[in-house]
Amino acid sequence: PFHVFAESIDIRDIGTRFSVRRLAGGVSVAVLEGRVEVSAAGNQAPALLGPNQAIRTDGAAVTSLDPKSFDTLVSWKDRRLDFNGTSLTDVVSELQRYRSEPIVLADARAGKVQITGGFSSADPDLLLDMLPLVAPVAVSRKPD
């Protein structure tokens, strides 16, 4: 069997295509086809996922994700960043995966703003430039 380990999470491939995303505080798993079994630390029974199903786990508890989250979790394979009511904090975290320069969210209150839309992952700066058009935020660039 093929296993992917992310932190204390064990994802076992059962003949499938799936996505694993390590997050700050957990792991998300989305299944495109086939099935996977996700085991978290502890005595909890493994979660069995089928096509178009997704979960998030913090290593102890496993939470099924809303079907709307599925496209967001697998959009990377099409070089897209899709957000559906995603907090700006999570958008910034996702954008940081595609940029070498740091992104700093200077006001924690702005991090609660929710973003919905699709963008190309090939140009994350374009999304940064568009943020003031879709959210009550300002973007400034500094040399560092």
Side-chain angles (χ1 to χ4, degrees):
F2 174 69
H3 289 260
V4 174
F5 296 94
E7 296 188 16
S8 63
I9 308 307
D10 176 9
I11 301 99
R12 184 171 69 99
D13 178 18
I14 308 172
T16 189
R17 289 183 346 151
F18 64 101
S19 174
V20 176
R21 176 162 291 167
R22 185 169 178 241
L23 307 163
V27 175
S28 290
V29 180
V31 178
L32 289 107
E33 63 184 46
R35 298 182 311 153
V36 296
E37 183 179 272
V38 179
S39 301
N43 296 330
Q44 187 174 8
L48 186 61
L49 301 175
N52 301 317
Q53 290 184 316
I55 57 102
R56 178 168 288 161
T57 180
D58 61 6
V62 174
T63 306
S64 294
L65 295 178
D66 186 317
K68 292 184 286 185
S69 299
F70 183 82
D71 290 336
T72 301
L73 290 172
V74 299
S75 63
W76 63 267
K77 69 181 183 46
D78 298 322
R79 299 191 69 189
R80 291 191 48 78
L81 300 172
D82 288 338
F83 304 109
N84 187 358
T86 306
S87 72
L88 185 55
T89 298
D90 288 344
V91 169
V92 166
S93 177
E94 186 63 22
L95 280 177
Q96 193 61 69
R97 293 176 182 264
Y98 298 90
R99 297 184 84 242
S100 56
E101 299 86 7
I103 304 170
V104 177
L105 190 56
D107 184 344
R109 293 174 298 174
K112 296 178 182 175
V113 171
Q114 295 192 345
I115 305 296
T116 298
F119 307 88
S120 169
S121 64
D123 189 1
D125 287 338
L126 180 60
L127 173 51
L128 287 175
D129 293 339
M130 292 181 66
L131 274 177
L133 301 174
V134 298
V137 298
V139 174
S140 63
R141 299 183 191 277
K142 297 183 178 180
D144 61 352

